[in-house]
Amino acid sequence: MITFSKAEDYAVVLMATLAFYYEGESWVSLRDVADGQHLPYLFLNKIATNLKKAGLLESKEGVGGGYRLKKDPKKITLAEIVRAVSVKNISSCISGHQCANEGICPAQTIWTKIEKILGDSLAKITLNEVIREYYKKAKNPKL
């Protein structure tokens, strides 16, 4: 089965956590997110940097600083989040690397198709929907 990397998973967790604070436009400490979600701070910092470069987050240094979403969670898709931190494709044959079997491999076409289907599916799911699903299923929602 297709799996997402830790970076992709943690990026969604970070963005979803920040989405909870979007309405108040609060700055949220990355350390607080890392501690609250039991994620490695240094790795989360690298992920946040990539999300910021992708235009999904903004940051403010100093006392009272932190991170926050740069746009409404209703307008951020999982595809954008995953793309911002992803370093791989589903298969190495569609990652732009030269392949000795290019043009004769029966799997290349299907991997390309699956990659597109997955990307299209992630593009239909907003961060806002992730939050709604969390609240529907959480017995004791906390951050």
Side-chain angles (χ1 to χ4, degrees), residues 59-116:
S59 64
K60 177 179 163 186
E61 293 185 21
V63 177
Y67 284 87
R68 68 181 182 189
L69 299 181
K70 197 163 184 177
K71 57 185 181 177
D72 191 317
K74 294 175 187 166
K75 296 180 180 177
I76 299 173
T77 67
L78 290 185
E80 291 175 284
I81 297 168
V82 169
R83 224 177 294 131
V85 298
S86 186
V87 293
K88 63 177 177 57
N89 292 83
I90 289 176
S91 173
S92 61
C93 70
I94 60 173
S95 64
H97 293 96
Q98 287 276 326
C99 177
N101 294 330
E102 191 169 342
I104 61 170
C105 176
Q108 184 177 17
T109 303
I110 197 65
W111 287 132
T112 302
K113 186 175 182 177
I114 291 169
E115 177 98 1
K116 181 172 179 358

Side-chain angles (χ1 to χ4, degrees), residues 18-36:
L18 295 176
F20 282 103
Y21 299 96
Y22 180 75
E23 293 296 323
E25 298 187 16
S26 301
W27 296 97
V28 180
S29 159
L30 200 58
R31 175 68 67 191
D32 289 346
V33 175
D35 292 347

